[in-house]
Amino acid sequence: MKNRGIAYFSAEFGLDETLPIYSGGLGILAGDHIKAAADMNVPLTGVGIFYGKGYFQQRIDEGGRQQHLYPEVNLEASVYPVQLVMDHNNQPLLIEVPLIGRKIFANAWAVQVGSITVYLLHTDIESNSETDRRLTDTLYPSNQDLRISQEILLGIGGTRLLAALGIEPEVWHMNEGHCVFLTLERIRVLSAQGLPFETALETVKASTVFTTHTPVPAGHDVFSIEMMDRYFGDYYWQLGADRERVLSLGRMDGAFNMTRFAVSTSSKVNGVSKLHGEVTRELFHRWMPHIPKQDIPVDSITNGIHIETWLAAGMKELFDRHLPSDWTSRTTDPKVWAAVRDIPSSELWEEHLRAKSVMSEELGLPISSTSRIPLVIGFARRFATYKRALLIFSDPQRLARILGDPERPVSLIFAGKAHPADAPGQNMIRQIVELSREDRFKGRVHIVENYAMDKAKKLVQGVDVWLNTPTKPMEASGTSGQKAAVNGVLGCSVLDGWWAEGYNGRNGWAIEGKVDGDHDTQVKQDSEALYRLLEEEIVPRYYNQNEQSLPMEWVDLMKESICTLAPAFNTHRMINDYWNKVYVPAMARGKRFASDHFEVASRVAAYKQFVRNNWSGVRVSKVDIVTDNHSGRIGLHKTTFRTEIELGPIWHKDVRVEAVGSDGREGIWKVKLEPVQQSSKGKFVYEGATFDTSINFWKANVNVRVTPISPDFESNFELELAAWGFH
């Protein structure tokens, strides 16, 4: 393991609030990924960009309008050691990147996170023009030219940086599609060594893996073909392929889709929760309509959190006293967390109240100064419309009654930023500010400005309930609720993202409005479900306290939440999953494809080209289905499928033939058919049978499918080809 290496590319890294080069969940996840890999001695190198002005600092003016401030990031303030990368002459190492007929230069800052180094490229150096010096000022610029320039710097520049440092990764992990141009640079290098394009592509693909983080189509980077030509016109020819072949890797709907490009150049693709994996397969099915969504080759590895980063200091001390002494190195073991059930309820509750008081004081919230400390509900995340921050205000009068009960008061805390170009998101912030000033909500609804990691820590540690109300299924995973859970904060969420896996009916609450109807109907159903939970479950349980002001039922829920969620949703478990399911297989595949002068890569490339050239001649000419009720097996009947397949010059052992149908439960069944006769040159009869009586083959949508296969493929659908017939 020590001799193997992974390059982890990400447009943002949320390591700590002192290095504000992150905007939200993607960056925080990347930072936690790095920290967990360091804990576990995984040989990983991070590659990103140092944004000189970072993501914007948020101020909310008197009118509730979000203001965007861009102060210079002070690297000396970082809690992690940061130093400029020097070359062998002890001069700042400079990386050269082509950009529309000119060259830009970038230096690199090395951030040391335990045993792991994260390299951050930066263009604000004297070698560049003033325009190019500003290229790495801010994160996620709205200007498309700036965006593609940053992504070229990240992908191509990052690859050249690793080469200059003598780092030769065995696996290249692309965290979202912003960094996918790294695959083009790797192909260019192999092409310069004399490899044909298709062989270079297969070599690169074998050792590249891709994690997608958004189920929202608009969340995937798309550049116009004209823009691609402008930026890569002088680059295409260096790849050993013509323009059309290069563009075909990402061309979708008349534009260049970076996620499509990533799928075309990766051997493994994963979503970040089980539900997100399903949603991603549905999304990719639009690209490959001839392949059932259930067969789209997308895995899922559910996100987790770096517990020691997000756990309150007092809570950690409590765990140190009551959990096994080595608990921090065994966070994936449910037996370790079972000890939480034996923590005296009074101690756990006192620690939570202490965190609540710290949050109130440090964030300047007038909560602890009230006559009775209220139940506090937190809602903190990026302000995007699908996250529905205003859902809880759907019936303002009803909400006012819930919050304003003098015997059982409730407070709401909101925090989050909207992208500078997201007017609807900014409008939500303004509306919440206006609502907080209404008499019925004054002192009950609060908004915390300039949401960042430092404030996030206080919120996930100090509120009582963590609220999450996205439009299902638009939440890829989410991790803020996981951070809250390990601190004993109870989740109340739509069953989306990770909560669909984590909720067990006893460790928080699920907002289970019916998922049907139009948007307005959905809002009405979900808000009704939320109000009912608040009125009938959450508020009563919180205030059902004994003579010592201890809510025993509530504390039991806290214990259940910690015990069931902490071991499953942490980055140590996540890194284990990536190592075993993604990294190790990709290492082996990458080595095999590159060995013996790229023999396997060359063979696979030639085979794929042959199949593509001849696939149009594959035909399913006839399908027969026969059910035999006299099969000789008691209580069973035999269903036989027989089909004629025209394969042309394609070898019959290079295809898989199956009868495929719907099981009526969102799944599909398959029966493999084998060749039993060659009726003429290139034409075969296939047969197969099943005794499965759980499916009515006559009512199901039965069809026969032919797909090209190879033992060298990562999946049976790697070529994204299928021929279907109809009976």
Side-chain angles (χ1 to χ4, degrees):
M1 193 163 167
K2 289 181 181 179
N3 296 322
R4 301 169 181 169
I6 300 106
Y8 182 83
F9 279 65
S10 181
E12 49 175 312
F13 286 94
L15 295 166
D16 187 81
E17 64 271 11
T18 59
L19 194 59
I21 56 169
Y22 59 91
S23 73
L26 176 70
I28 301 300
L29 185 279
D32 280 12
H33 192 111
I34 293 292
K35 285 180 266 191
D39 292 343
M40 301 168 71
N41 292 315
V42 171
L44 187 146
T45 300
V47 180
I49 293 176
F50 170 53
Y51 304 96
K53 297 181 185 296
Y55 199 51
F56 73 94
Q57 301 286 300
Q58 180 197 55
R59 294 292 178 268
I60 300 173
D61 67 17
E62 282 300 310
R65 291 177 294 271
Q66 175 177 276
Q67 305 297 309
H68 314 106
L69 307 177
Y70 293 93
E72 295 283 344
V73 173
N74 180 11
L75 285 175
E76 293 181 0
S78 171
V79 298
Y80 293 102
V82 181
Q83 61 183 18
L84 193 61
V85 179
M86 312 302 279
D87 63 17
H88 59 278
N89 294 319
N90 204 32
Q91 296 296 312
L93 178 66
L94 292 184
I95 302 302
E96 181 183 299
V97 180
L99 204 64
I100 314 188
R102 69 187 191 279
K103 295 175 181 176
I104 62 171
F105 298 90
N107 62 17
W109 293 92
V111 184
Q112 202 63 39
V113 184
S115 60
I116 288 179
T117 305
V118 178
Y119 294 100
L120 304 173
L121 291 160
H122 191 49
T123 63
D124 188 9
I125 55 178
E126 291 183 1
S127 308
N128 290 326
S129 68
E130 183 59 29
T131 299
D132 291 338
R133 293 183 73 161
R134 303 279 70 80
L135 177 59
T136 53
D137 273 1
T138 59
L139 178 60
Y140 298 143
S142 303
N143 180 286
Q144 282 285 84
D145 283 289
L146 276 178
R147 179 70 72 94
I148 196 172
S149 297
Q150 284 190 353
E151 297 189 3
I152 289 170
L153 174 67
L154 175 59
I156 295 177
T159 303
R160 293 184 177 187
L161 170 65
L162 293 182
L165 294 170
I167 297 172
E168 298 181 359
E170 291 182 278
V171 176
W172 300 69
H173 186 173
M174 304 187 297
N175 190 42
E176 198 49 274
H178 313 109
C179 49
V180 189
F181 290 133
L182 71 84
T183 59
L184 288 187
E185 175 64 9
R186 294 179 62 207
I187 290 171
R188 186 195 67 79
V189 170
L190 292 171
S191 177
Q193 296 173 10
L195 259 66
F197 174 81
E198 299 297 341
T199 301
L201 172 61
E202 293 304 324
T203 304
V204 168
K205 183 171 181 171
S207 58
T208 304
V209 299
F210 171 55
T211 298
T212 177
H213 289 263
T214 176
V216 186
H220 300 269
D221 276 338
V222 176
F223 300 115
S224 70
I225 298 299
E226 180 274 333
M227 181 172 279
M228 288 294 295
D229 284 342
R230 271 197 294 124
Y231 281 88
F232 289 93
D234 293 333
Y235 193 87
Y236 294 138
W237 67 269
Q238 300 179 54
L239 302 172
D242 61 31
R243 166 184 176 273
E244 279 305 312
R245 177 62 180 125
V246 177
L247 290 175
S248 72
L249 297 172
R251 193 191 287 270
M252 282 295 306
D253 302 323
F256 194 83
N257 185 300
M258 293 291 277
T259 301
R260 185 70 181 97
F261 180 32
V263 173
S264 299
T265 54
S266 303
S267 62
K268 284 186 175 291
V269 179
N270 73 279
V272 288
S273 70
K274 289 179 182 176
L275 181 56
H276 180 228
E278 295 172 14
V279 174
T280 301
R281 283 188 284 276
E282 178 76 51
L283 178 64
F284 291 1
H285 176 56
R286 300 175 196 173
W287 305 345
M288 318 169 199
H290 49 288
I291 299 175
K293 63 182 180 181
Q294 297 89 345
D295 282 332
I296 300 293
V298 174
D299 295 323
S300 62
I301 294 178
T302 303
N303 284 345
I305 60 153
H306 187 251
I307 287 176
E308 290 195 74
T309 294
W310 299 101
L311 188 63
M315 196 66 75
K316 182 180 185 302
E317 291 173 5
L318 186 67
F319 291 169
D320 286 343
R321 292 199 302 272
H322 293 280
L323 271 59
S325 59
D326 59 348
W327 74 269
T328 56
S329 61
R330 296 171 56 202
T331 54
T332 62
D333 187 351
K335 295 176 183 177
V336 166
W337 294 100
V340 168
R341 299 188 192 279
D342 297 325
I343 296 176
S345 295
S346 58
E347 287 188 39
L348 182 59
W349 185 243
E350 285 169 13
E351 200 50 64
H352 172 64
L353 290 181
R354 192 172 293 115
K356 192 172 181 178
S357 176
V358 169
M359 173 194 71
S360 176
E361 181 178 344
E362 295 200 9
L363 299 185
L365 298 167
I367 291 172
S368 56
S369 61
T370 56
S371 58
R372 184 165 193 182
I373 298 176
L375 163 67
V376 178
I377 300 172
F379 182 103
R381 54 193 29 84
R382 183 166 53 88
F383 273 94
T385 50
Y386 78 88
K387 294 181 183 285
R388 299 193 302 184
L390 295 170
L391 181 78
I392 197 170
F393 291 101
S394 298
D395 186 339
Q397 285 184 305
R398 189 171 178 183
L399 178 62
R401 287 197 299 272
I402 295 170
L403 303 187
D405 185 337
E407 295 301 314
R408 303 191 304 185
V410 179
S411 283
L412 286 173
I413 301 175
F414 291 88
K417 298 176 179 178
H419 189 277
D422 183 3
Q426 293 178 50
N427 188 51
M428 285 195 293
I429 295 173
R430 183 185 56 76
Q431 288 180 263
I432 291 172
V433 170
E434 291 175 352
L435 285 163
S436 72
R437 292 170 178 168
E438 293 183 10
D439 288 342
R440 56 185 170 178
F441 295 128
K442 194 172 289 183
R444 298 293 185 208
V445 176
H446 312 275
I447 188 160
V448 175
E449 68 178 4
N450 202 34
Y451 187 49
M453 286 183 72
D454 52 346
K455 293 178 179 178
K457 289 173 186 176
K458 299 308 173 188
L459 287 167
V460 299
Q461 294 164 5
V463 301
D464 299 299
V465 175
W466 196 257
L467 181 64
N468 187 36
T469 54
T471 301
K472 188 176 180 179
M474 296 177 77
E475 182 94 294
S477 171
T479 57
S480 59
Q482 300 170 356
K483 298 159 193 164
V486 75
N487 283 287
V489 173
L490 299 178
C492 178
S493 174
V494 170
L495 282 172
D496 200 8
W498 77 278
W499 192 235
E501 299 169 50
Y503 175 67
N504 68 2
R506 304 179 306 280
N507 57 6
W509 296 276
I511 302 169
E512 299 186 84
K514 296 179 182 177
V515 183
D516 58 25
D518 57 23
H519 175 266
D520 292 342
T521 302
Q522 191 64 60
V523 167
K524 186 175 181 181
Q525 292 172 342
D526 287 349
S527 61
E528 174 59 34
L530 173 57
Y531 289 138
R532 184 186 56 76
L533 283 173
L534 289 170
E535 293 167 339
E536 299 176 12
E537 292 276 338
I538 296 172
V539 177
R541 286 202 185 194
Y542 181 85
Y543 283 105
N544 182 20
Q545 301 180 356
N546 62 20
E547 294 177 356
Q548 287 77 42
S549 298
L550 185 63
M552 292 299 296
E553 282 187 50
W554 189 275
V555 177
D556 286 345
L557 286 171
M558 291 171 64
K559 291 182 177 182
E560 176 72 14
S561 177
I562 296 169
C563 288
T564 57
L565 302 177
F569 299 100
N570 66 74
T571 39
H572 288 188
R573 186 275 309 157
M574 185 185 81
I575 291 292
N576 265 329
D577 285 351
Y578 274 109
W579 181 258
N580 293 312
K581 297 179 181 179
V582 176
Y583 294 156
V584 169
M587 283 177 187
R589 186 175 177 81
K591 282 181 181 177
R592 193 163 64 87
F593 271 55
S595 64
D596 297 326
H597 305 288
F598 306 96
E599 188 273 331
V600 176
S602 178
R603 173 160 43 85
V604 170
Y607 170 70
K608 285 185 176 181
Q609 196 61 49
F610 171 78
V611 171
R612 285 194 197 99
N613 291 342
N614 292 282
W615 194 252
S616 61
V618 175
R619 296 278 189 279
V620 180
S621 55
K622 186 179 179 183
V623 179
D624 292 319
I625 305 173
V626 179
T627 300
D628 179 6
N629 292 316
H630 305 286
S631 63
R633 298 178 66 175
I634 298 173
L636 295 177
H637 63 258
K638 178 181 179 182
T639 300
T640 301
F641 302 91
R642 183 181 177 91
T643 183
E644 292 183 5
I645 308 291
E646 295 178 32
L647 294 176
I650 296 176
W651 190 31
H652 67 87
K653 290 189 178 181
D654 282 342
V655 298
R656 182 181 181 90
V657 179
E658 301 166 297
V660 182
S662 167
D663 66 2
R665 300 183 300 275
E666 294 294 316
I668 56 175
W669 54 263
K670 305 173 191 176
V671 176
K672 187 177 179 182
L673 312 184
E674 301 286 356
V676 294
Q677 177 186 344
Q678 182 171 358
S679 54
S680 61
K681 186 177 181 179
K683 193 169 185 177
F684 297 83
V685 175
Y686 280 75
E687 277 191 6
T690 180
F691 289 93
D692 189 344
T693 60
S694 65
I695 304 164
N696 184 332
F697 294 106
W698 297 108
K699 290 184 179 180
N701 183 23
V702 181
N703 207 336
V704 167
R705 175 177 68 191
V706 186
T707 51
I709 60 171
S710 166
D712 294 317
F713 285 179
E714 178 61 30
S715 81
N716 285 341
F717 303 94
E718 182 167 329
L719 258 174
E720 300 180 8
L721 293 174
W724 293 86
F726 299 92
H727 66 278

